[in-house]
Amino acid sequence: MTSYFTRDHEWVRIDGDAAYVGITDYAQSQLGDVVYVELPAVGKTFAKGDDAAVVESVKAASDVYAPVSGVVLAVNDALEKSPAMINDAAEGDGWFLKLTLTEPSELDGLMDEAAYRAFVETL
């Protein structure tokens, strides 16, 4: 699977025709203990940059933006019962939603892992 990253600290991981979306480990570390997640409905359509989900921590609430355009195939229901999964595995089991990509060319504007890690070093 290939992963891409945004400057807003979302990641998108491509698995065949599907794209998993979540926030980066850096983002969860800045948020602190996550206590609530609001996920979109299956079937909802997003354009790149749309508000796709909300994550709340003891420090703040933050929107999660769609890094690419697509239609929601599934959401990670486990996060609603256990939002701390995001703190434990932000770039793994803590994914938010799974999309069908509608504009695969949008991936070209995102960073690969090395570029994202270098970007985080500047913050």
Side-chain angles (χ1 to χ4, degrees):
M1 287 190 273
T2 304
S3 297
Y4 300 89
F5 299 84
T6 72
R7 291 185 173 272
D8 292 320
H9 309 288
E10 289 92 16
W11 57 262
V12 58
R13 188 166 297 124
I14 306 305
D15 184 12
D17 294 336
Y20 290 86
V21 175
I23 62 171
T24 65
D25 189 57
Y26 176 83
Q28 73 77 25
S29 72
Q30 297 301 299
L31 284 168
D33 294 335
V34 176
V35 295
Y36 174 77
V37 177
E38 183 180 314
L39 301 171
V42 171
K44 183 155 177 68
T45 300
F46 291 110
K48 181 178 181 175
D50 284 353
D51 295 348
V54 176
V55 60
E56 293 182 14
S57 71
V58 295
K59 291 182 182 178
S62 182
D63 290 326
V64 176
Y65 303 107
V68 291
S69 300
V71 179
V72 178
L73 292 171
V75 296
N76 190 351
D77 291 327
L79 293 181
E80 291 179 341
K81 296 178 189 103
S82 183
M85 285 176 60
I86 296 165
N87 296 115
D88 297 335
E91 294 182 33
D93 291 339
W95 60 275
F96 285 70
L97 52 116
K98 180 180 174 182
L99 298 171
T100 298
L101 290 174
T102 55
E103 296 291 335
S105 63
E106 292 173 342
L107 295 169
D108 296 340
L110 302 177
M111 293 178 273
D112 65 15
E113 186 168 358
Y116 176 73
R117 302 295 174 217
F119 168 68
V120 168
E121 291 294 319
T122 67
L123 303 178

